[in-house]
Amino acid sequence: MSVIVRTILTAIIAYLLGSMSFAVIFTRGHMNRDIRDLGSGNAGFTNVLRSVGVVPAVLTILFDFLKGVVAVLIGWWIFSGVQGDPSVTMHEYASYGRYLAGVCAIIGHSYPVFFGFRGGKGVTTAAAMMSVVDIRVFLAIISTFLIIFACTRIVSLASLACAALYPVYTCVITYFGSYLPLLGTPDALRLRYVFLVTLASAAVGVFVIIKHTDNIRRLVRGEEKVLKIKKD
């Protein structure tokens, strides 16, 4: 199977998996309403928690995370057998497959083909991508999110900070934790690899920030709400 075919196959599968909007699905099942007509109108965990209840919200974040994990694992598997440029290690090819699948799953989550292209902001699916691509970056991002959220109780602020720091963490951890330690070994990575994964993570970060444009406006005006939970 050629790299082009693998790329197309990975992109389509990941996008379709991402298009499964569990915020919409579980809200309809719980109260026969469309989450996009409630609260902030966003098809995501926070709006479900505020507008619908704890159980649908927990199911939403769990399944949104799982679909991202499955999509990235599929991309990893599809690219794991690539035989191409001998200067490119199998780890690099597999990693490209993971990033490609993650990005396409995030796009599917935000613009789901099954739900009129009106979805969420991609935060949970992006976190799922990070957990499979590089657990070290994922742990750094989760720690940052929890610290900021604990101090402010504002989910959007914590999400925006993590989106901005994602490429920074990726670059630093990949360079010092993967590239340098493998220099001179048969599994050595190219410096180009560090650049490409940093670029991919920057694209994800920018995408998430753009999806939070309304939140940014409210933050600037001091009108963004702290998280409050709707009782079932």
Side-chain angles (χ1 to χ4, degrees):
M1 189 187 302
S2 70
V3 173
I4 294 176
V5 173
R6 292 174 194 267
T7 299
I8 294 172
L9 187 61
T10 298
I12 291 174
I13 293 174
Y15 173 76
L16 292 177
L17 281 170
S19 290
M20 299 173 65
S21 183
F22 290 105
V24 176
I25 293 170
F26 289 122
T27 298
R28 285 179 178 172
H30 186 76
M31 59 190 305
N32 198 29
R33 295 283 302 276
D34 191 327
I35 187 61
R36 295 168 297 182
D37 296 328
L38 302 172
S40 67
N42 181 58
F45 163 76
T46 304
N47 194 32
V48 175
L49 187 62
R50 283 177 173 149
S51 305
V52 185
V54 174
V55 173
V58 171
L59 290 173
T60 295
I61 195 171
L62 174 63
F63 280 84
D64 276 349
F65 192 89
L66 286 176
K67 75 181 181 186
V69 168
V70 171
V72 175
L73 287 176
I74 289 174
W76 189 356
W77 175 72
I78 290 175
F79 271 80
S80 61
V82 172
Q83 298 294 330
D85 187 341
S87 68
V88 182
T89 67
M90 294 300 296
H91 172 78
E92 285 190 47
Y93 275 124
S95 186
Y96 295 149
R98 292 197 297 264
Y99 273 100
L100 172 64
V103 169
C104 291
I106 293 168
I107 294 172
H109 176 82
S110 298
Y111 303 102
V113 66
F114 306 126
F115 298 94
F117 301 99
R118 292 176 56 214
K121 297 174 181 174
V123 174
T124 302
T125 308
M129 168 187 164
M130 297 174 202
S131 71
V132 181
V133 169
D134 195 324
I135 191 64
R136 302 165 300 179
V137 175
F138 173 73
L139 293 175
I141 287 290
I142 288 298
S143 299
T144 300
F145 181 92
L146 292 175
I147 291 171
I148 295 175
F149 178 72
C151 294
T152 65
R153 302 286 293 179
I154 300 176
V155 174
S156 61
L157 181 60
S159 298
L160 285 164
C162 289
L165 289 170
Y166 181 33
V168 177
Y169 288 160
T170 297
C171 182
V172 172
I173 292 173
T174 303
Y175 182 79
F176 290 101
S178 297
Y179 173 74
L180 288 182
L182 291 174
L183 281 178
T185 72
D187 296 322
L189 300 171
R190 298 175 302 169
L191 187 59
R192 177 185 174 187
Y193 171 77
V194 179
F195 172 76
L196 289 176
V197 298
T198 301
L199 184 63
S201 59
V204 171
V206 169
F207 182 86
V208 171
I209 290 172
I210 290 173
K211 293 295 292 182
H212 281 78
T213 300
D214 291 339
N215 302 87
I216 294 172
R217 293 193 183 104
R218 288 193 294 270
L219 285 166
V220 171
R221 296 195 301 263
E223 298 173 354
E224 187 74 328
K225 298 177 181 178
V226 299
L227 180 62
K228 294 182 180 179
I229 302 173
K230 177 181 172 62
K231 302 296 183 179
D232 285 310

